[in-house]
Amino acid sequence: MNLFKIFELTQLHPRTSERDIIDLCQEAVALEAHSVCINSSYVALAKQLLEGSDVKLVSTVGFPFGTTDTLTKIHEAKTAIENGADEIDMVINLGLFKSKNYVSVLRDVTDVKLAIGSIPLKVIIEISELNKNEVLKACQICLDAKVDYIKTSTGFSKGGATLTVVKILKKSVKNRIKICAFDGIYDEETASKYLDIGVDRIGINSDFKASEVAA
């Protein structure tokens, strides 16, 4: 199996240049990756670079902290879609979540989902910042908001995906929401373990040992 068929090649560093986006898109096309994930300012450029390919284009909104207000997230998401984004990634508002203001967190996620309609929405819950009970609560919010994916991490916190937490996610949401594991996955062996427990998408960055991926 070509693992890149479920891989999301990611370039979200604040120093990302146009050259980096060009290289990313060319690599994604060559490897037949599922998608690329980039910041919204580069969506229009990436759309041109991916034209004629099957590679999907994912744009972040309110990234990487999720603390922008809902209307700003909606505007950014709609603009990204107008510029060619096929999917939207948003970060759960951890400050509101840790304040146990779950109603506001749910409203934030739901309003973005309603605003983008049929466009898939991935919600990043930043699992390294949550205990087990909080992970379960975040899953319930995502279920209530009818999002399409839960994503483990931004890559900007103290840790990324873990097999233990991804198993909890899978058990909690069953097949009602898809799972995207990101950060901390650097080789084919690790990626295969996530695939074995049922993840639907795997996000990788430039640290991944692409030469080890079997065709």
Side-chain angles (χ1 to χ4, degrees):
M1 175 187 180
N2 179 7
L3 286 175
F4 277 94
K5 292 291 186 181
I6 64 165
F7 277 7
E8 192 166 274
L9 276 60
T10 302
Q11 180 59 265
L12 296 169
H13 197 279
R15 293 195 299 271
T16 297
S17 67
E18 291 183 349
R19 181 72 256 173
D20 292 328
I21 296 298
I22 292 169
D23 291 343
L24 179 76
C25 291
Q26 289 177 342
E27 181 181 22
V29 171
L31 295 171
E32 299 181 351
H34 179 278
S35 50
V36 298
C37 181
I38 59 175
N39 288 312
S40 60
S41 59
Y42 282 129
V43 167
L45 171 61
K47 186 65 175 179
Q48 295 178 30
L49 296 167
L50 296 173
E51 186 175 0
S53 77
D54 293 326
V55 179
K56 301 295 184 183
L57 177 52
V58 183
S59 174
T60 61
V61 301
F63 196 82
F65 304 119
T67 51
T68 50
D69 67 86
T70 304
L71 289 178
T72 301
K73 292 174 186 174
I74 289 172
H75 177 74
E76 186 177 12
K78 286 184 172 180
T79 301
I81 293 165
E82 289 171 2
N83 288 336
D86 300 298
E87 296 181 11
I88 297 297
D89 278 18
M90 70 174 287
V91 188
I92 200 168
N93 189 317
L94 277 173
L96 290 177
F97 188 89
K98 288 290 188 177
S99 300
K100 301 187 186 302
N101 190 346
Y102 303 129
V103 172
S104 292
V105 175
L106 174 59
R107 185 183 300 119
D108 183 46
V109 177
T110 300
D111 286 355
V112 173
K113 178 56 186 171
L114 289 174
I116 66 175
S118 61
I119 300 295
L121 176 65
K122 296 208 295 295
V123 174
I124 306 169
I125 64 171
E126 204 71 280
I127 62 172
S128 65
E129 301 289 342
L130 307 179
N131 61 39
K132 181 179 178 180
N133 287 336
E134 289 172 331
V135 168
L136 293 174
K137 184 62 180 180
C139 286
Q140 188 58 55
I141 288 172
C142 289
L143 285 166
D144 291 344
K146 297 180 171 57
V147 308
D148 302 276
Y149 285 84
I150 292 175
K151 190 171 182 176
T152 60
S153 325
T154 62
F156 285 80
S157 190
K158 56 190 177 185
T162 69
L163 290 167
T164 298
V165 177
V166 170
K167 288 177 182 177
I168 294 171
L169 297 178
K170 288 294 292 184
K171 184 176 181 180
S172 178
V173 304
K174 296 181 169 55
N175 295 319
R176 292 173 289 176
I177 299 178
K178 295 179 179 179
I179 304 295
C180 177
F182 177 63
D183 197 27
I185 304 170
Y186 302 123
D187 53 51
E188 178 193 356
E189 180 181 2
T190 305
S192 295
K193 291 178 181 178
Y194 281 94
L195 186 61
D196 289 342
I197 63 174
V199 299
D200 303 279
R201 189 89 57 84
I202 295 175
I204 64 170
N205 56 31
S206 58
D207 292 328
F208 190 88
K209 298 177 182 178
S211 61
E212 296 183 9
V213 176

